[in-house]
Structure formats: structure tokens, C-alpha cells
Amino acid sequence: KEAERLRFEEEDKRKQAELEAERLSLEEEAKQKRLEEEAAEADRLILEEEERKQAEQEAERLRLEQEEEQKRLEEEEAKEAGRLRLEEEERKQAEQEAERLRLEQEEEQKR
């Protein structure tokens, strides 16, 4: 009877040890899974940050491009306005010269 009780106790201890080993194994698996999920989340956040930075760089590139284009257009407009002013000045001078010559001719005619 004592031998049977000892065998029963040994069997109980062995089962408890197996259960404890299983519990520890499951805990380790859960821990590993949690670490993998945290690593995946960290990777996702890093990727999001890289994408955000790229988007900011692209926005800055486009802004600078737009500034350059605006500057170029303003320079072209200023050149065109200057050219038109010069043409207008030349036209006025030509009119004045024509008027002067007409007056000179009138004077000649009177003489």
C-alpha cells in the first residue's frame, strides 16, 4: 500500500512537473509572440516615419520648383515690361522727330 501511495505521489509530481513545463513553454511562446508583434509595430512606425519624411521632402522640392518657376515668370514679365517701355519711348521719340521735321519743313516752305 505504501509503495502504491509513493508511486501515486511520484506520478502526481511528474504530471505537475509536465504541467509546469507546459505552462512555462506557453508563457515563453506568448512572450516571443509579443516581442515579434512589438518588433513588427516598431518596423511599421519606422516605415511610416520614412514615408512621412519622403512626403515632406517631395513637398519641399515641389515648393522650391514652384518658387523657381514663379521667379522665372516674374523676370520674363519684367523683361517684357521693360521692352514695351523702351518701344514706347522710341515711338514717342520718332513722333517728336517727325513733328520737328514737319515744323522745319513748314519753316522752309514759309521762306
Side-chain angles (χ1 to χ4, degrees), residues 58-102:
E58 180 65 8
E60 179 66 7
R61 186 187 67 74
L62 290 173
R63 186 187 66 74
L64 290 173
E65 242 179 51
Q66 202 173 24
E67 269 182 23
E68 285 298 314
E69 179 64 11
Q70 183 66 28
K71 215 182 284 183
R72 189 186 64 73
L73 288 174
E74 287 171 1
E75 287 172 1
E76 278 182 17
E77 286 173 4
K79 282 180 187 175
E80 180 65 10
R83 188 186 64 74
L84 290 174
R85 274 194 307 275
L86 189 62
E87 279 182 8
E88 181 62 18
E89 254 179 58
E90 289 171 351
R91 187 190 60 76
K92 283 181 182 174
Q93 284 177 355
E95 282 179 2
Q96 288 173 353
E97 182 65 14
E99 180 64 13
R100 188 185 64 74
L101 290 173
R102 190 186 62 74

Side-chain angles (χ1 to χ4, degrees), residues 28-67:
E28 187 59 34
E29 282 179 28
K31 183 179 176 183
Q32 191 61 35
K33 186 176 180 186
R34 193 171 59 250
L35 288 174
E36 288 171 5
E37 289 170 352
E38 288 173 1
E41 178 66 7
D43 288 345
R44 187 186 64 77
L45 291 173
I46 289 169
L47 187 61
E48 275 182 10
E49 180 65 12
E50 287 173 358
E51 289 171 350
R52 185 189 62 75
K53 283 180 182 175
Q54 284 178 349
E56 282 179 1
Q57 288 173 347
E58 180 65 8
E60 179 66 7
R61 186 187 67 74
L62 290 173
R63 186 187 66 74
L64 290 173
E65 242 179 51
Q66 202 173 24
E67 269 182 23

